[in-house]
């Protein structure tokens, strides 16, 4: 790592843990969402990354949804937070166990409005019980249906079926969003070169009915992925 990379890594770790401990003291969900957005803006601002929203008029101003997105980088949740900031769509992120146990992200993840998904668990009932409780309290659920970051040279990897089950069990309409830019490449440029005025584009899709029997991946691809 060069000096620029070390500096930004130290800053990101400091900021993440600072907000993680602040969030630990908060009990009100709206305050959690506000702090999460503030963190997203502060970190992306430091990285000189701006978020441009395509089809902004398609963002519902309120309501509850299963918000689904492709996943290429560790800053994807921050991009989505900023894209939806002027709506009243606030929700809990589905987070895998590895993030809960992470030395760098653990404190933040556990306290930033998330629901734990343990893929190794023999019984998924606790996870679905948690999502039902969150929806009953009036919140949305945010999820990456690919299950993990897509590190392949493809715009999208396969979706896990569990995402659609979350929508079905909670009768949540699905709001698809697509991070059009390769956010991981933008992030690397921000860290390695400290380039100014970087931009990530995120596209808002059409709402999908939770009763739609077409696979979620197929519906998503039809809206965003132009096959050659």
């Amino acid at each position: 790592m060069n000096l620029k990379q070390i500096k930004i890594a130290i800053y990101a770790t400091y900021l993440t843990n600072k907000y993680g401990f602040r969030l630990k003291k908060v009990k009100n969900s709206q305050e959690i969402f506000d702090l999460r957005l503030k963190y997203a803006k502060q970190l992306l601002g430091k990285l000189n990354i701006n978020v441009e929203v395509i089809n902004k008029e398609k963002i519902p101003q309120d309501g509850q949804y299963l918000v689904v997105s492709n996943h290429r980088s560790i800053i994807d949740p921050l991009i989505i937070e900023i894209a939806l900031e002027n709506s009243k769509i606030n929700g809990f992120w589905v987070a895998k166990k590895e993030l809960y146990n992470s030395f760098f992200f653990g404190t933040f993840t556990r306290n930033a409005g998330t629901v734990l998904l343990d893929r190794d668990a023999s019984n998924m009932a606790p996870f679905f019980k948690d999502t039902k409780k969150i929806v009953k309290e009036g919140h949305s659920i945010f999820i990456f249906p690919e299950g993990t970051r897509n590190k392949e040279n493809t715009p999208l990897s396969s979706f896990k079926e569990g995402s659609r089950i979350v929508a079905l069990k909670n009768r949540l309409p699905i709001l698809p969003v697509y991070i059009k830019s390769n956010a991981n490449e933008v992030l690397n440029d921000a860290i390695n070169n400290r380039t100014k005025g970087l931009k990530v584009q995120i596209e808002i899709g059409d709402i999908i009915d939770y009763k739609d029997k077409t696979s979620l991946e197929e519906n998503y691809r039809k809206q965003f992925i132009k096959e050659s």
Side-chain angles (χ1 to χ4, degrees):
M1 292 180 74
N2 60 37
L3 187 57
K4 288 180 181 178
Q5 292 171 314
I6 292 170
K7 282 183 177 179
I8 197 65
I10 290 172
Y11 177 80
T13 302
Y14 156 75
L15 193 68
T16 303
N17 283 284
K18 174 187 172 183
Y19 274 91
F21 284 111
R22 285 182 66 182
L23 286 160
K24 196 174 183 179
K25 299 175 183 178
V26 173
K27 302 300 180 185
N28 178 277
S29 58
Q30 188 57 55
E31 194 173 349
I32 289 174
F33 301 144
D34 291 343
L35 278 174
R36 210 166 63 185
L37 177 60
K38 189 175 179 181
Y39 164 78
K41 287 183 169 182
Q42 194 167 340
L43 185 53
L44 291 193
K46 180 69 174 180
L47 292 166
N48 300 308
I49 297 174
N50 297 305
V51 177
E52 179 184 331
V53 184
I54 302 170
N55 294 335
K56 189 181 291 187
E57 69 280 359
K58 290 186 178 183
I59 300 176
Q61 289 309 297
D62 51 28
Q64 290 175 261
Y65 301 88
L66 179 71
V67 179
V68 301
S69 173
N70 59 320
H71 194 20
R72 300 291 295 266
S73 79
I74 60 172
I75 60 170
D76 292 345
L78 312 187
I79 293 165
I80 295 167
E81 291 284 336
I82 292 173
L84 299 178
E85 70 170 309
N86 293 320
S87 73
K88 294 180 181 177
I89 302 173
N90 291 313
F92 280 62
W93 283 96
V94 173
K96 57 187 180 180
K97 183 174 63 175
E98 293 85 344
L99 286 174
Y100 267 59
N101 297 331
S102 168
F103 174 77
F104 294 103
F105 303 111
T107 302
F108 184 90
T109 302
R110 287 191 298 272
N111 297 290
T114 59
V115 54
L116 172 64
L117 174 61
D118 183 357
R119 294 194 192 92
D120 298 325
S122 57
N123 183 3
M124 296 301 292
F127 168 74
F128 288 111
K129 183 180 178 181
D130 288 343
T131 58
K132 188 170 285 292
K133 179 176 181 289
I134 288 165
V135 172
K136 190 175 180 180
E137 291 172 350
H139 306 304
S140 294
I141 302 288
F142 295 173
I143 194 168
F144 295 113
E146 292 163 289
T148 190
R149 276 184 286 154
N150 174 15
K151 298 177 182 178
E152 303 169 1
N153 189 28
T154 57
L156 199 70
S157 57
S158 298
F159 280 11
K160 310 294 183 187
E161 185 60 24
S163 301
R164 186 165 172 267
I165 295 173
V166 173
L168 278 168
K169 281 182 173 290
N170 295 285
R171 299 182 179 181
L172 286 174
I174 300 165
L175 176 61
V177 301
Y178 178 60
I179 301 174
K180 198 169 185 177
S181 308
N182 187 329
N184 199 52
E185 290 181 357
V186 176
L187 177 60
N188 286 334
D189 195 5
I191 293 171
N192 297 327
N193 305 318
R194 300 301 292 139
T195 304
K196 306 291 185 183
L198 292 168
K199 180 174 67 177
V200 171
Q201 288 186 320
I202 180 169
E203 186 174 355
I204 310 299
D206 297 316
I207 292 170
I208 302 167
D209 193 306
Y210 70 88
K211 292 180 285 188
D212 191 322
K213 293 183 179 179
T214 307
S215 77
L216 179 56
E217 181 180 344
E218 185 178 340
N219 270 326
Y220 191 92
R221 285 183 181 275
K222 281 179 181 177
Q223 293 203 41
F224 300 117
I225 311 299
K226 309 301 179 187
E227 303 290 355
S228 56

